[in-house]
Amino acid sequence: MKKTIEVSPNQTFLVKGPAKIGIIKGEISILENTLGKEENIVITRGKALPIKAISETVLDIYMDNDDAIEPLEEQFPKEWASTTNLFENLEVPTLIPILGSVDSGKTSLTTFLANTAFKKGFKVAIVDEDVGQSSIGAPCFVSMGFMEKTVSMLSEVKLKGSYFVGSNTPSRLLHRTITGVAMMVKKALNNNAEMVLIDTSGWVYGRGARELKTSLILMLQPRILIALQRENEIEHLLVPFNKSSVNVVRLPAPKTYKRSRENRKFLREILYQKGLEGGQDITINLAQISLKYTLLGSGSKVKPEKLEEIKRILGCLPVYTEESADLLYIVLPNDEIKINKDITEYLENQLCKTEVYLTQKRDFESVLVAFQDKNNEPIGIGIIKKVDFEKREITFYTSTDKEKVKSVQFGLLKVSEDGEELGYTKIL
Ligand SMILES: Nc1ncnc2c1ncn2[C@@H]1O[C@H](COP(=O)(O)OP(=O)(O)OP(=O)(O)O)[C@@H](O)[C@H]1O
Ligand SMILES: [Mg+2]
């Protein structure tokens, strides 16, 4: 349905997606980005935008639900505006991580700061650490982009670099998340960024989250750190730094539009679909590529006597085995034996002094991967369809040009060809 609304200057409201806004008359501001007559903005399902009218404005709003428009008291807390003081006499380059719990407004504040700093003439880069609700790049990636214009949403920021973490949550992959942020910050600084805003994930509770956030702050060594809070829900993350010189700027969180788990999943899935669009099966021999974040392909053939011994102990013929200085790697047929600690330890004691790693053929199916070119730059995502252990070939579903693929980085998430999340696998 279409609704035409007239808004007076300073009137503020939220538009919830799915919706499209067309400006018929006047001007609006979204987090310091001004939009005028004949400009449009599309808001996807699960997203919402706080809008303020600058002048007498007429808007055409196309929406599914009658309650898509909601009046707001303020577009953002007034304290946010005072952050622009931080930009006066700023030593550049400056890194500013923005911390807060889920739906605390981190991405909105990042957008606001990015627009404000851009208008002041800073060369601004944004690093998106949130692998679950990515704004700049694809889900499961840490991404980076430079502000080339003011934006209403960070998805408008052009992607300049990204690093594949391999999961939609950092929880099992803290080290890859930190590596991604470090790489993206380095890339931003190498490209002369004066201000790097780091939009973080809302994972702030529990030991894993504390490890990640402490490590991130230590790695970044920022002079300024922004903590966005409704009350004092992330103070525990700030305590380890209360004797350091970092300037912790505490800001109030606005009342935000909460995204449901389903909507978060939906938003990720449309991005996997986009990444896999026009996909086809490509088969690559392991000799042609290097594999990262998998144990597969790093060793050599197991001697026949040892293979016999493995067969005897397990009571079945493995699909594949390989051995390296630190590991005996065994891929089993599906459901042939129950993999557990006892069987692994028994094999370790009987066969070798190294670790034994057991996995099943099925664990490879549907695993999300990222491809890199010869410069290690990401060139697309794909899904493992089949591993032919005999021929040492992997078949992927992807739209990436096979000729350009020089390296494949394995993830932990499984995704269908239709872009549906199917759960997790283990390190392969
Ligand atoms: N003043 C406001 N009132 C209501 N909703 C708002 C307001 N400002 C922003 N929002 C909306 O609330 C939602 C959550 O805000 P935002 O994405 O900035 O939070 P976040 O902390 O980054 O969330 P996440 O934890 O998912 O990364 C967004 O759709 C945003 O547009
Ligand atoms: Mg966010």
Side-chain angles (χ1 to χ4, degrees):
M1 79 180 77
K2 181 178 127 182
K3 206 169 185 174
T4 301
I5 60 167
E6 285 182 31
V7 221
S8 328
N10 293 325
Q11 215 177 319
T12 309
F13 53 97
L14 188 76
V15 179
K16 297 181 263 184
K20 185 181 156 190
I21 308 169
I23 305 166
I24 307 301
K25 184 189 141 192
E27 275 186 331
I28 58 169
S29 168
I30 302 172
L31 304 165
E32 294 303 298
N33 179 38
T34 305
L35 295 166
K37 199 173 159 200
E38 285 173 17
E39 289 192 273
N40 290 307
I41 181 148
V42 176
I43 308 168
T44 13
R45 180 184 127 192
K47 295 209 172 176
L49 280 183
I51 297 169
K52 182 172 161 175
I54 297 176
S55 54
E56 289 293 345
T57 304
V58 179
L59 303 172
D60 274 347
I61 305 187
Y62 301 84
M63 57 203 171
D64 283 0
N65 305 316
D66 219 4
D67 64 352
I69 311 169
E70 210 176 87
L72 284 181
E73 257 172 53
E74 52 184 7
Q75 192 186 23
F76 47 80
K78 56 184 177 313
E79 291 84 346
W80 286 19
S82 62
T83 52
T84 52
N85 294 339
L86 296 171
F87 302 163
E88 309 301 330
N89 308 318
L90 192 74
E91 248 182 85
V92 293
T94 282
L95 311 179
I96 310 182
I98 292 132
L99 266 57
S101 71
V102 175
D103 289 323
S104 59
K106 301 175 294 296
T107 302
S108 303
L109 177 65
T110 307
T111 314
F112 167 83
L113 291 172
N115 283 334
T116 313
F118 178 78
K119 286 198 273 190
K120 282 192 185 284
F122 287 100
K123 185 160 174 149
V124 185
I126 297 164
V127 173
D128 179 5
E129 183 251 350
D130 193 349
V131 291
Q133 287 300 291
S134 315
S135 324
I136 298 178
C140 307
F141 282 82
V142 171
S143 320
M144 189 272 290
F146 275 88
M147 293 291 285
E148 291 175 354
K149 58 178 181 72
T150 55
V151 297
S152 305
M153 291 178 273
L154 291 187
S155 53
E156 294 169 50
V157 175
K158 200 168 134 211
L159 188 71
K160 176 84 183 168
S162 61
Y163 166 87
F164 184 61
V165 172
S167 179
N168 56 7
T169 157
S171 61
R172 284 166 66 197
L173 299 171
L174 308 187
H175 53 297
R176 295 193 206 173
T177 310
I178 296 162
T179 304
V181 176
M183 284 173 69
M184 291 305 108
V185 167
K186 190 170 163 196
K187 189 163 197 163
L189 296 176
N190 284 346
N191 283 279
N192 306 317
E194 292 170 317
M195 184 183 295
V196 186
L197 300 168
I198 299 112
D199 184 11
T200 61
S201 71
W203 190 44
V204 294
Y205 298 131
R207 274 189 278 169
R210 289 178 183 230
E211 285 276 328
L212 176 62
K213 295 305 193 291
T214 301
S215 300
L216 267 181
I217 298 167
L218 283 173
M219 185 271 291
L220 294 167
Q221 292 188 284
R223 284 190 289 273
I224 303 168
L225 187 163
I226 299 187
L228 205 49
Q229 305 188 89
R230 292 182 188 94
E231 289 170 26
N232 52 11
E233 66 273 12
I234 64 160
E235 287 298 325
H236 58 281
L237 298 179
L238 309 173
V239 171
F241 299 94
N242 63 6
K243 300 283 186 291
S244 77
S245 62
V246 57
N247 175 11
V248 177
V249 180
R250 290 177 173 78
L251 290 175
K255 275 198 199 79
T256 54
Y257 172 60
K258 307 260 177 304
R259 249 164 296 178
S260 64
R261 192 180 262 269
E262 292 73 46
N263 275 342
R264 286 174 181 273
K265 186 164 171 276
F266 165 80
L267 289 167
R268 287 194 297 269
E269 290 182 346
I270 49 176
L271 293 172
Y272 302 128
Q273 284 157 17
K274 209 170 131 202
L276 294 168
E277 207 175 289
Q280 56 175 347
D281 288 354
I282 61 166
T283 299
I284 310 182
N285 192 284
L286 294 189
Q288 310 296 312
I289 47 173
S290 44
L291 303 180
K292 292 185 179 65
Y293 294 122
T294 174
L295 309 169
L296 177 70
S298 55
S300 48
K301 227 174 168 172
V302 174
K303 292 207 173 70
E305 314 84 72
K306 201 164 195 174
L307 189 57
E308 275 306 312
E309 192 63 8
I310 296 171
K311 231 163 73 179
R312 192 187 58 76
I313 296 172
L314 292 174
C316 73
L317 182 67
V319 174
Y320 180 76
T321 47
E322 65 170 53
E323 199 169 22
S324 40
D326 63 340
L327 204 84
L328 173 60
Y329 183 73
I330 305 172
V331 183
L332 294 165
N334 293 335
D335 304 319
E336 201 70 25
I337 47 168
K338 208 167 161 34
I339 298 175
N340 57 32
K341 217 166 132 235
D342 292 344
I343 184 85
T344 309
E345 273 176 10
Y346 187 75
L347 283 165
E348 281 169 357
N349 292 334
Q350 296 294 312
L351 286 173
C352 46
K353 290 194 181 63
T354 62
E355 189 187 333
V356 172
Y357 197 82
L358 289 166
T359 184
Q360 287 188 95
K361 226 179 146 188
R362 158 184 323 122
D363 296 328
F364 291 84
E365 285 162 20
S366 305
V367 172
L368 185 69
V369 299
F371 300 109
Q372 287 93 31
D373 64 11
K374 62 178 189 312
N375 302 317
N376 248 336
E377 290 292 335
I379 49 172
I381 58 166
I383 287 163
I384 297 180
K385 288 216 41 192
K386 201 178 94 188
V387 183
D388 187 325
F389 291 98
E390 201 120 305
K391 292 191 187 151
R392 296 178 65 82
E393 282 175 353
I394 309 184
T395 303
F396 303 96
Y397 179 77
T398 183
S399 58
T400 309
D401 179 359
K402 177 180 165 178
E403 301 310 316
K404 292 202 176 119
V405 176
K406 292 288 172 261
S407 160
V408 180
Q409 205 160 311
F410 279 46
L412 292 187
L413 187 71
K414 290 190 172 203
V415 172
S416 77
E417 284 180 28
D418 304 329
E420 191 192 342
E421 291 183 350
L422 303 172
Y424 303 96
T425 188
K426 54 183 185 175
I427 299 239
L428 298 169

